[in-house]
Amino acid sequence: MTLPPHPGIFTSVERRYAERNPAPELRLIDGSDPEGVPVSMQLARRTLYDRSADPAARTALWHQIAERGRLDADRSDWPCAVVWMGLPGLSRTASRIVRSFRAERQDVEAELVTCYLEALAETGAHTSDPGGRILRSACSRTWTAWRSVRPELAVEDVEYVGGRSPGTGTGEVWQADYDPPARPSGLPAGLRVTVPAHRVEGVRIGALAQEWGLAGTATDPRYSGRGHRVATLSLRRAGRNG
């Protein structure tokens, strides 16, 4: 598998587990032995995505991978190694979502891995076509998640709709409103910041938070499940009505 050009979960897992063979080993059911024969992770992954391979052998491997994913992560490399096994089936979807939504590659990969592990955990011993179900479910859930948060950009000028990229004018100013959620200690005040237009494109929200002194606010909330709202950040042109 060719390493993706972007740093992130996929690259880290690929580099870490490409040469490993955690125990217990996977076993390939090829008909020579009812219990199967030990197989390396590298050969197992090639078999999983080889459409010419025996479907029964591929099914048996996916069931074993689902079982390995439930092992204790403190005592086994398998809970992370199973992610390595799924990368070839997730990489194309990651690239498509990044292009379609202009999303950060790292964020897309994280969502795909989460959905993949969820689908893997739902796989039972008698699930038919486990590989297809796991990968389709992971990719479908990730597409749905990104469509639900697809950003909307309101523009004042029709020329933007005609193809001109927002923020290309050097004299324009964009305005960002940071609206933290209510806290038990009281209602925090919102914050409005203006930014030169030429600095808007390509700047990540994390960099903006750091520059505006909001890094502590952004990293303070504790994780309490997917979908927890930390704050609302809206970006618009300031000018005629701003």
Side-chain angles (χ1 to χ4, degrees):
M1 177 182 175
T2 302
L3 289 178
H6 310 275
I9 294 177
F10 285 14
T11 300
S12 299
V13 171
E14 187 68 36
R15 289 172 177 168
R16 184 174 181 181
Y17 292 98
E19 303 300 328
R20 294 193 182 188
N21 283 291
E25 292 181 298
L26 295 174
R27 303 187 73 84
L28 181 64
I29 310 298
D30 60 358
S32 61
D33 186 327
E35 298 297 324
V37 295
V39 61
S40 68
M41 281 181 58
Q42 294 73 26
L43 178 56
R45 191 167 81 164
R46 288 198 296 271
T47 302
L48 290 177
Y49 299 97
D50 181 1
R51 295 184 180 278
S52 65
D54 180 7
R58 295 167 63 190
T59 294
L61 283 173
W62 276 114
H63 282 306
Q64 293 174 63
I65 291 169
E67 293 175 358
R68 301 296 192 275
R70 300 185 182 99
L71 296 179
D72 186 351
D74 293 332
R75 299 182 180 182
S76 172
D77 283 337
W78 269 115
C80 290
V82 296
V83 175
W84 183 85
M85 304 297 285
L87 294 186
L90 304 175
S91 294
R92 180 177 296 182
T93 295
S95 297
R96 291 178 61 194
I97 292 177
V98 168
R99 290 194 303 268
S100 298
F101 298 100
R102 297 180 183 178
E104 291 292 340
R105 177 91 186 191
Q106 296 92 328
D107 296 336
V108 174
E109 290 180 358
E111 185 69 24
L112 272 168
V113 169
T114 298
C115 293
Y116 167 76
L117 293 176
E118 289 176 350
L120 202 66
E122 295 167 0
T123 301
H126 302 291
T127 300
S128 60
D129 186 22
R133 290 190 176 212
I134 291 167
L135 296 175
R136 283 194 300 270
S137 176
C139 294
S140 177
R141 292 179 188 186
T142 305
W143 273 107
T144 299
W146 279 97
R147 287 192 184 101
S148 68
V149 298
R150 184 171 187 170
E152 296 182 356
L153 179 64
V155 298
E156 299 177 1
D157 300 326
V158 177
E159 58 188 317
Y160 283 171
V161 181
R164 179 186 167 192
S165 296
T168 56
T170 57
E172 296 176 352
V173 174
W174 280 61
Q175 173 180 292
D177 292 335
Y178 178 82
D179 184 22
R183 298 176 182 273
S185 58
L187 295 174
L191 179 64
R192 175 172 294 179
V193 184
T194 57
V195 185
H198 68 279
R199 297 183 57 194
V200 173
E201 294 186 5
V203 180
R204 297 181 59 189
I205 294 300
L208 292 173
Q210 183 70 39
E211 182 173 339
W212 297 340
L214 303 176
T217 303
T219 58
D220 178 69
R222 301 295 185 266
Y223 177 79
S224 61
R226 293 171 57 199
H228 176 65
R229 185 173 73 90
V230 174
T232 299
L233 182 66
S234 59
L235 188 66
R236 66 179 65 83
R237 287 181 61 203
R240 301 167 185 169
N241 299 318

